[in-house]
Each structure stands twice: as structure tokens, then as C-alpha cells.
Amino acid sequence: MRRLSRFFMAVFCIVAMAIFGSNVAAQAGNNNVGDFLGHVLHTDIRVSIEDVPIMGYNFNNQTFVVARDLTAHGFTISWDEASRRVDIARGTSTTLPQNVAGNVHPVGSIAFDVLYTDIVTYVNGSRIDSFNVDGATVVRITDVVRLTGGTYNWNPTERTVSVQMPHNSENFVREVFDLVNNLRLSYTLAPLQWHDGLTYVADTHLLDIYQNNLTVTNTGSDGTTLAQRVTRHGIDVLSPSGFTMVVTKNRSRESP
């Protein structure tokens, strides 16, 4: 008799789960644009991509960022109005990083409402969750990292989220070059022009530094100066003085 009761109880639970589970799924699938989904909370967690701060948002105990803010961190964002679709991919920065101020509000207090949106968001062709926060599309930072091959590090002691991205060496040089020009434009300076010959001179000098274990300097292992190496490759020297930008795997350094 007990076995029979347990059997009917199990059947009842399965049916109930099917009914109520279907109802929950139906409700989740019937949201309208602008429906309230929850709150973004103020947080003391600091978020950075490649050591550059980006504003982070706490929703359901997960960290989100504004999709368009990624354009200052080596990502491209494309928007298709007809399909209401946002595409995120690795690329070159087109905007300057924002000035991220520290949180001055009580941790856990309400910052913004989270609203349902009909905008669909993809990272490298894979669809991810996205929401409307204060009129902007936000995405989960872990989704972006996972689908672009990056690494995600959470430090509970320092309360930081640190993201590092893989780099193709040629793309990385272009990214640094674009960041330099963005910074120059912010000071109303004319942008630098890319020069394949100078790029080759810089690459061979960097290889010389690496292979001969030199300190970062403009003088080559053969004693040549920057101006000599440039003229040796048939490039006119307009200003022998200046600096050489040495691009390493993780950051750039300047040598006077």
C-alpha cells in the first residue's frame, strides 16, 4: 500500500511540475517590451578589461556591462534596426574609455530598473541574454569573455573583476595605435599615420631587444640609432628625436 501511495505521489509531482513548469515558461516567454524584471543594485565591485576600468552593474548577483561601453575596450558593436539585433565581436577600439568613479551609494541599494527588451544580442554569432538598464543594453560580462576566448578573474578580497583578452600580435599593435590616436584626438592633436616601413623597423628592433636581452632602448645591439635604422631602410627622417613605442604582450612602454 505504501509503495502504491508513493507511486501516485510521484506521478502527482511529475504532473504538477509539468503544469506549473509550463506555466512559468509561458510567462517568461510572454514578456512585453518595458516589462519590469528586477533591479540593478549599487555595488563596490570594480570591473576592468585589460586593466582599463569599465562600469559594472550588479543584477541577480552577476556582473553586467553596457554593450556600447565595450567599444573602448577592443570590441566592435554593430546594430541592425530591422532585426533589432546587436552583434559584439573583437576588433579595435573606436571610443575612449570612460572615467569610472567609485561607488558612493550604499552597497545593495537600488540603482536602476531592469526592463525586458526585444533587442537580441549576439557575441561571435552566439546569442546571449541582454536587458534594458537606464535605456542601454547590458550584457553579462562572463558571456562576453566565454565567447571571445578571454579569461575572467574574480578577487573576493579586493572585490574586483579582471578580464584579460587574447591578442593576435598584429591586431594588438593596431589596437595600441588606435588607442594612441584616440588619446591624441581627445587633446585636439592630429592623428598619427600608419607607416608599414616604420612598422618593420620597429618590429626588427623589438626582436633585436628580445634576442639580445637588451634593456628598452633606442640603440640597437649593433650600436645603430633610431635615425640610422630608419634611413637604412630608405625612409626620410623628419625628426630623429622622439620615442619608440615598444608593444609587449600585455601593455606598451615608452622609451625616451
Side-chain angles (χ1 to χ4, degrees):
M1 187 71 175
R2 287 182 178 178
R3 291 181 179 178
L4 190 60
S5 298
R6 290 176 182 174
F7 171 77
F8 281 115
M9 182 62 71
V11 170
F12 173 78
C13 289
I14 292 172
V15 172
M17 289 172 63
I19 293 174
F20 291 109
S22 298
N23 187 44
V24 170
Q27 289 179 352
N30 288 331
N31 283 317
N32 296 314
V33 174
D35 281 355
F36 173 76
L37 299 178
H39 294 293
V40 164
L41 305 180
H42 288 293
T43 178
D44 59 348
I45 295 173
R46 291 167 295 148
V47 186
S48 65
I49 300 177
E50 301 280 81
D51 302 323
V52 179
I54 183 172
M55 183 64 72
Y57 298 87
N58 184 338
F59 176 47
N60 286 343
N61 292 320
Q62 296 178 332
T63 300
F64 285 73
V65 296
V66 175
R68 65 169 175 260
D69 288 348
L70 293 170
T71 59
H73 299 268
F75 291 86
T76 59
I77 308 294
S78 59
W79 163 250
D80 183 75
E81 177 67 35
S83 60
R84 305 280 293 166
R85 170 170 170 161
V86 173
D87 277 276
I88 302 172
R90 287 294 285 164
T92 57
S93 300
T94 56
T95 60
L96 292 172
Q98 61 197 143
N99 182 20
V100 180
N103 176 48
V104 296
H105 302 279
V107 174
S109 60
I110 296 174
F112 302 106
D113 291 342
V114 179
L115 306 179
Y116 179 79
T117 178
D118 62 347
I119 294 174
V120 292
T121 305
Y122 290 78
V123 176
N124 284 347
S126 296
R127 184 170 177 176
I128 63 172
D129 292 334
S130 60
F131 304 97
N132 182 326
V133 171
D134 197 31
T137 299
V138 299
V139 294
R140 194 180 291 107
I141 188 65
T142 50
D143 287 339
V144 177
V145 173
R146 173 175 54 87
L147 293 170
T148 54
T151 57
Y152 175 96
N153 181 59
W154 159 243
N155 187 320
T157 303
E158 297 183 0
R159 305 282 292 167
T160 58
V161 169
S162 177
V163 172
Q164 298 295 327
M165 302 304 300
H167 288 284
N168 173 284
S169 59
E170 182 177 349
N171 289 343
F172 183 47
V173 172
R174 285 284 187 172
E175 288 176 26
V176 173
F177 183 78
D178 290 338
L179 285 172
V180 169
N181 272 340
N182 284 338
L183 186 60
R184 289 177 63 85
L185 290 173
S186 71
Y187 287 95
T188 65
L189 298 174
L192 301 175
Q193 299 299 314
W194 183 270
H195 192 290
D196 289 334
L198 289 176
T199 303
Y200 175 77
V201 172
D203 286 343
T204 54
H205 181 57
L206 179 59
L207 184 62
D208 181 32
I209 291 174
Y210 174 76
Q211 290 179 337
N212 293 285
N213 197 28
L214 302 176
T215 57
V216 178
T217 173
N218 283 332
T219 304
S221 61
D222 58 357
T224 56
T225 65
L226 171 60
Q228 289 172 332
R229 289 191 301 275
V230 169
T231 55
R232 185 169 61 189
H233 288 85
I235 303 170
D236 291 333
V237 180
L238 299 179
S239 176
S241 62
F243 67 85
T244 301
M245 176 169 283
V246 180
V247 180
T248 65
K249 181 178 180 182
N250 294 318
R251 64 190 75 247
S252 64
R253 295 178 291 176
E254 292 183 359
S255 173

